[in-house]
Amino acid sequence: MPVEHLSPAYRIHTGRLVIRCWNPADAPLLSTAIAQSLEHLKVWLPWAREEPKDLQQRVAWLRQSRGEFDLGQNFNYGIFNLDETQVLGAIGLHTDSYDDALEIGYWVDAHHINHGLATEAAAALTKVAFEVNQVTRVEIHCAPTNLASAAVPRKLGFTHEATLRQREEDHEGCKRDSMVWSLFAEDYPTSKAAAAMVKAFDAMGQKIL
């Protein structure tokens, strides 16, 4: 079944994080997180070259993101602290051109790196992808030189399937290699992601995981 036809998790709780779909009102918190992490983000994420954005531009992006989420086209989430007073990063379940798979992408605020938050959030979304979205495969792509990012799928039991040459743009607009990590549904039950303590809720606030 195509992933966009399945009801997504709108809100996810882990031990340290609230992971939920973006709302336009999150614009100030997101702008703060990006501003204090911008030099860190520019090295790895091409969209960071277009920063900083003003508040209205941020609101427009969040409205578009929420619209795509509600339509089942793409699932962007904010990573928040437990009382939702800080944006600690962002993560997504991206549909791209896949019919039965989702790709996880993530970044963490520069003030909160090296605390395992990306691994915790990626484990939660891996669990949601398999148990809520019912996909057959989850992928994570990253630059071979981004050792911190590559450590996340490795810890969660993903397999490094390939390193594709010159497939992504770096912060200078030049082509760079991209590692492809995959986890299949048949291997998920024995992965560390399957053991993650996660609660997930639908658009009505009903618990679905």
Side-chain angles (χ1 to χ4, degrees), residues 36-128:
Q36 63 191 17
S37 305
L38 192 53
E39 294 308 310
H40 166 70
L41 296 175
K42 280 181 178 178
V43 177
W44 306 114
L45 301 173
W47 59 259
R49 298 199 305 266
E50 300 174 8
E51 294 289 344
K53 288 182 168 64
D54 63 34
L55 193 61
Q56 289 308 307
Q57 290 174 311
R58 190 79 62 209
V59 169
W61 181 86
L62 290 169
R63 290 182 63 200
Q64 178 181 343
S65 181
R66 177 57 187 260
E68 291 173 351
F69 197 109
D70 288 336
L71 292 172
Q73 297 172 349
N74 198 32
F75 308 112
N76 282 309
Y77 295 88
I79 303 173
F80 296 81
N81 60 348
L82 290 177
D83 61 7
E84 299 181 55
T85 58
Q86 273 187 293
V87 168
L88 306 182
I91 193 164
L93 288 172
H94 305 303
T95 56
D96 292 328
S97 59
Y98 309 128
D99 284 335
D100 58 354
L102 288 167
E103 179 185 334
I104 295 178
Y106 45 83
W107 62 267
V108 173
D109 180 290
H111 293 172
H112 295 89
I113 58 175
N114 300 321
H115 295 292
L117 299 187
T119 301
E120 186 171 329
L125 258 65
T126 299
K127 187 162 189 151
V128 165

Side-chain angles (χ1 to χ4, degrees), residues 98-174:
Y98 309 128
D99 284 335
D100 58 354
L102 288 167
E103 179 185 334
I104 295 178
Y106 45 83
W107 62 267
V108 173
D109 180 290
H111 293 172
H112 295 89
I113 58 175
N114 300 321
H115 295 292
L117 299 187
T119 301
E120 186 171 329
L125 258 65
T126 299
K127 187 162 189 151
V128 165
F130 284 117
E131 299 189 23
V132 176
N133 297 88
Q134 300 175 23
V135 297
T136 62
R137 184 179 80 257
V138 175
E139 293 186 2
I140 293 176
H141 298 186
C142 66
T145 50
N146 191 342
L147 301 182
S149 187
V152 172
R154 184 180 292 113
K155 290 175 185 176
L156 296 179
F158 284 63
T159 297
H160 176 212
E161 290 202 52
T163 297
L164 306 178
R165 297 176 59 197
Q166 300 184 35
R167 296 301 174 92
E168 306 288 345
E169 281 193 1
D170 65 14
H171 61 293
E172 296 178 338
C174 300

Side-chain angles (χ1 to χ4, degrees), residues 12-19 80-83 88 116-117 120-121 123-124 196-199:
I12 302 160
H13 293 183
T14 71
R16 297 182 291 173
L17 306 171
V18 170
I19 303 166
F80 296 81
N81 60 348
L82 290 177
D83 61 7
L88 306 182
L117 299 187
E120 186 171 329
M197 301 300 292
V198 173
K199 295 179 182 178

